[in-house]
Every structure is written in structure tokens, then in C-alpha cells.
Amino acid sequence: MTAIDVFVRHFESAGALPEQLAIDIARIAYPALDETGCWAQIDALAHSAAGRMTHARDGATTAQAFLDILCQDFGFHGAEKGYYDPRNSLIPDVLARRQGLPIMLCLLCMAVGRRIDLQIDGLGFPAHFMARYRDEAGDWLLDPFYGQLVAPAAVAEHLARIVGRPLQVARAMWEPVSAQLIALRMLNNLRNAFLMADNHTLALRTLDYLLAVQPQERHYWRERGVLHYKLED
């Protein structure tokens, strides 16, 4: 079974986990990836976070405590410099370097949160992925890229500051993003990063993953053909 076959099997699973798909995707750049090591690092983060959350209460206190642990204690932060570096979209590099794109940091929020019984979902807002913590007291948005806790009522203002223009936040954007859609977004981020770096070989490999689950997308086939041409293949 090839690495792509493994990815497709996990992608098509009803119980797919975003971190599993992120590990599968990382094999595009690291074919001999130590998957066990990635799982161990995530589990260790969760174990440490659980011990540090013992005095947190429900609501904003818990949300802020969790975000502080991730961003201050563990040192995760947004890749504001070198944003399009492919390593910011590869889970082993994000874990090692403690920085990444918004979606990768939110994926870690979700993975760690699930392990310590916190309900954290990913939300695909325009141009900026965020996570939502929810409990009986309400909802709070986690932005680990900037290390900020955002009240739902303030999300439009928060996003406007990031993109530099007013934004409308549609109701559909409050729906949790599935593991499959997160994986597709990760793959497209990685594809763009490899294209910007003129790494045609890894861009092609990323397109192979995309086409394995979205064979109907004609622009991927066209782009794949152009890359084969550039590689004189």
C-alpha cells in the first residue's frame, strides 16, 4: 500500500482525525516520516496541558488558560516571517519549530483539546483559520497564530484587522470544518508553498494527493501537466 493509498483510506474514514491526515500529508516531503514520534509529541503536549489546566474553570477562564499553555508555555506561534515556507504546513516541522500557519496551529488545538476532554473545533473564516472552544458557559474563539482569545461578537473586527478590510462573517462559517476539508486546505496551502518555491517535484506529489480524493477537479490535472512539462517528463 502506497502513502497515497494510506491517506485515501484515512480520508474516507467517517472517524478521520485531522492530525492523522496531517501526518499522512507530511509524507509528501518526508517519505520515511516517524509517525510514532509525531503521535508521541502530540500526546506529550496533551499530558502536559492536562496537568497545567487543573485550576482552570469553565468559560473564558478555561479558554484563556488553554491558549496561554499552547502559546506561552509550549511556545507555539504564528509564522509571520516566512509565512509561505512549506515547513509551516508540515506537522513534524510545526511540532519541532513551534510555528506554523493558522490552520496547523488550530489543528494542534483540536488534537490536544480532544485528548483532555475539551471541545475545540476548527472554523474556516475568510483568509484566516481559527478554533472555537465551547462549554456550558458559551463559546470563545482561539487564534493561536496571534495568541489571542476572541469573543464571538468581535470576530468580524478581529478578521478585519488581519486582512485590512471589512469582512462579513456568514452563518455558515460558524459550522465546524470536517477533517476532510481541513486536509484539503492543508494540501492546497502546501501546493502553493511548493509552487512559490519552484519545487516542482513536491508540488506534483501534492497534486497527486489532491487528485486521489478530488479526481474531478480539472485545474489540478492541467497544473499537473504543466509541471510534468517543466520537469521535461
Side-chain angles (χ1 to χ4, degrees), residues 17-33:
L17 295 176
E19 59 267 36
Q20 176 65 73
L21 298 178
I23 290 170
D24 293 341
I25 288 168
R27 288 199 176 88
I28 292 171
Y30 305 117
L33 176 67

Side-chain angles (χ1 to χ4, degrees), residues 80 126-128 130 141 143 145-151 153-169:
E80 296 189 65
H128 194 66
M130 295 176 69
L141 297 173
D143 188 346
F145 191 87
Y146 294 107
Q148 294 182 25
L149 187 68
V150 182
V155 68
E157 180 182 352
H158 179 72
L159 293 171
R161 283 196 300 270
I162 293 170
V163 303
R165 57 183 172 81
L167 287 174
Q168 295 292 325
V169 180

Side-chain angles (χ1 to χ4, degrees), residues 10-229:
H10 290 148
F11 186 92
E12 293 177 346
S13 170
L17 295 176
E19 59 267 36
Q20 176 65 73
L21 298 178
I23 290 170
D24 293 341
I25 288 168
R27 288 199 176 88
I28 292 171
Y30 305 117
L33 176 67
D34 176 16
E35 177 172 343
T36 302
C38 288
W39 286 115
Q41 289 182 70
I42 296 172
D43 290 342
L45 290 172
H47 180 76
S48 181
R52 297 164 191 255
M53 291 284 293
T54 53
H55 300 297
R57 298 185 298 274
D58 288 343
T61 304
T62 299
Q64 186 67 66
F66 180 82
L67 191 61
D68 288 346
I69 290 166
L70 190 83
C71 298
Q72 296 180 21
D73 297 357
F74 296 161
F76 285 99
H77 60 281
E80 296 189 65
K81 293 183 179 180
Y83 187 90
Y84 295 103
D85 187 325
R87 293 176 295 177
N88 295 324
S89 295
L90 294 165
I91 191 67
D93 290 319
V94 173
L95 288 166
R97 301 169 73 227
R98 292 294 199 262
Q99 71 174 40
L101 297 188
I103 194 168
M104 300 304 294
L105 298 179
C106 288
L107 182 150
L108 283 176
C109 286
M110 296 163 65
V112 172
R114 188 184 317 109
R115 286 162 172 76
I116 60 175
D117 296 323
L118 298 181
Q119 183 180 343
I120 300 178
D121 299 307
L123 301 181
F125 292 114
H128 194 66
F129 203 91
M130 295 176 69
R132 178 182 62 199
Y133 166 73
R134 169 174 285 178
D135 64 21
E136 293 180 354
D139 295 353
W140 288 267
L141 297 173
L142 311 175
D143 188 346
F145 191 87
Y146 294 107
Q148 294 182 25
L149 187 68
V150 182
V155 68
E157 180 182 352
H158 179 72
L159 293 171
R161 283 196 300 270
I162 293 170
V163 303
R165 57 183 172 81
L167 287 174
Q168 295 292 325
V169 180
R171 181 174 298 180
M173 294 171 187
W174 294 96
E175 291 297 320
V177 180
S178 68
Q180 288 80 5
L181 289 177
I182 289 174
L184 292 174
R185 194 157 170 168
M186 285 191 290
L187 282 168
N188 276 299
N189 287 339
L190 199 54
R191 160 180 159 263
N192 290 334
F194 286 137
L195 288 173
M196 291 181 69
D198 289 327
N199 191 330
H200 302 324
T201 299
L202 290 187
L204 253 178
R205 198 173 297 167
T206 307
L207 282 166
D208 288 342
Y209 274 65
L210 283 163
L211 284 165
V213 293
Q214 289 191 311
Q216 76 283 0
E217 295 294 337
R218 290 180 293 177
H219 64 284
Y220 292 153
W221 290 103
R222 288 196 297 269
E223 193 169 274
R224 191 171 182 268
V226 170
L227 288 172
H228 275 294
Y229 174 79

